[in-house]
Amino acid sequence: MTHSVRAGKNTSSLYNNILAHHPLKPAGLFEGSKEKTTEIIYYDKFSIPEYCCTFLCKNSWNVFNIMQRLAKADSRFFVIERCLNDLKWLIDNAINFYRDGVKPSHPDLIRYKTWDDFVSEQHDTIVEDIHKMFEKGYGTNDFQKSLGKAEKIMAPDAYILGRIEDSKNMEFNNVLLMQDTLKLTNDSKEGKANLINHIYTGVSRAKEKLIIPGYIEDWVDEKLAPKRTD
């Protein structure tokens, strides 16, 4: 699909730069709607916007982190259903793994023998922050209280939380792409293709505002460009 009825024409350069690094070249250049303008906002340090937006993350750890911040601030928020199911599974597993050493079943945790083994391999400040929360006594009751503050129905005056994979075939007025989406864990051709698909899906959900890391295009050029063979 090379034409958009969702995003404005001004997004074409950004989208085409991302797609240009895909191993399978698109049939034609992407072209946004001439009748629309999608404001592109770049950020260096993440902060929660004062206006409602949809946070799209790579994984549920970041969704949990943002949910905690919104719940603490008594902000209205909604978690996309598919993400909500994964979030409950992950955090319940994590708490029981940390507290009682109960063997987890979630894919993010299942291969580790102990919670400390998991944390030591992540090199992720979000996971470190969650570990500190657990050390301070955060438990199942606290998690349930945060979940209890989530809206039951998606509303235009509430923040929306989800993973990029949960947002396929959806569109939102304002989208904030989290920095954790810009991580290449598989340097193979297939791994790069999957990540490009992932990033493109995230940025192309926005209609009115797209909020993205300021270094995204440089990062894509550096990490995802085909390797030279000469």
Side-chain angles (χ1 to χ4, degrees):
M1 184 174 181
T2 56
H3 290 78
S4 173
V5 296
R6 178 186 305 124
K9 187 174 177 61
N10 62 300
T11 63
S12 300
S13 176
L14 171 66
Y15 291 4
N16 284 318
N17 186 36
I18 294 171
L19 292 172
H21 300 310
H22 200 289
L24 298 177
K25 299 300 180 184
L29 293 176
F30 173 89
E31 186 175 349
S33 171
K34 296 179 181 179
E35 288 75 35
K36 298 180 180 179
T37 298
T38 301
E39 183 181 1
I40 301 177
I41 302 170
Y42 296 91
Y43 71 90
D44 293 319
K45 184 177 180 181
F46 168 73
S47 61
I48 294 176
E50 294 183 359
Y51 50 85
C52 291
C53 67
T54 298
F55 300 97
L56 292 182
C57 310
K58 184 176 182 179
N59 58 49
S60 292
W61 297 109
N62 270 271
V63 173
F64 174 68
N65 180 57
I66 299 169
M67 184 187 79
Q68 288 299 128
R69 294 174 63 171
L70 293 174
K72 186 176 181 179
D74 289 325
S75 299
R76 295 183 63 194
F77 66 91
F78 172 85
V79 184
I80 298 173
E81 184 178 1
R82 187 179 171 200
C83 181
L84 181 61
N85 293 334
D86 185 77
L87 183 66
K88 291 176 179 177
W89 182 16
L90 175 64
I91 302 304
D92 281 339
N93 267 210
I95 291 171
N96 291 325
F97 197 25
Y98 172 80
R99 295 284 174 212
D100 304 312
V102 177
K103 183 174 177 57
S105 58
H106 192 280
D108 284 7
L109 298 169
I110 194 169
R111 70 183 182 88
Y112 296 96
K113 291 183 178 180
T114 68
W115 170 259
D116 287 339
D117 288 342
F118 165 72
V119 173
S120 65
E121 279 195 20
Q122 300 313 299
H123 309 293
D124 187 331
T125 56
I126 297 298
V127 172
E128 292 173 2
D129 289 344
I130 293 171
H131 176 67
K132 291 176 182 176
M133 288 172 56
F134 289 176
E135 286 184 320
K136 293 178 180 178
Y138 186 96
T140 302
N141 289 338
D142 301 294
F143 182 45
Q144 292 302 321
K145 286 179 182 178
S146 295
L147 287 175
K149 294 184 177 182
E151 301 282 320
K152 305 304 179 186
I153 300 174
M154 191 183 301
D157 56 348
Y159 293 97
I160 300 170
L161 307 177
R163 301 167 301 176
I164 287 178
E165 65 187 80
D166 306 312
S167 70
K168 292 178 180 179
N169 301 318
M170 301 179 75
E171 62 181 23
F172 310 97
N173 288 336
N174 307 319
V175 169
L176 191 153
L177 192 71
M178 294 297 295
Q179 292 168 314
D180 72 318
T181 57
L182 304 183
K183 288 185 179 179
L184 181 63
T185 56
N186 182 349
D187 196 34
S188 68
K189 186 176 181 179
E190 181 181 6
K192 289 183 177 181
N194 288 337
L195 183 55
I196 292 170
N197 291 339
H198 206 61
I199 295 171
Y200 177 76
T201 297
V203 299
S204 62
R205 300 305 92 196
K207 294 192 296 182
E208 297 177 6
K209 286 187 175 68
L210 173 62
I211 310 153
I212 52 178
Y215 56 87
I216 184 170
E217 292 189 76
D218 289 339
W219 187 91
V220 168
D221 289 339
E222 178 185 350
K223 299 293 185 180
L224 301 181
K227 294 180 180 178
R228 298 184 60 175
T229 57
D230 56 5

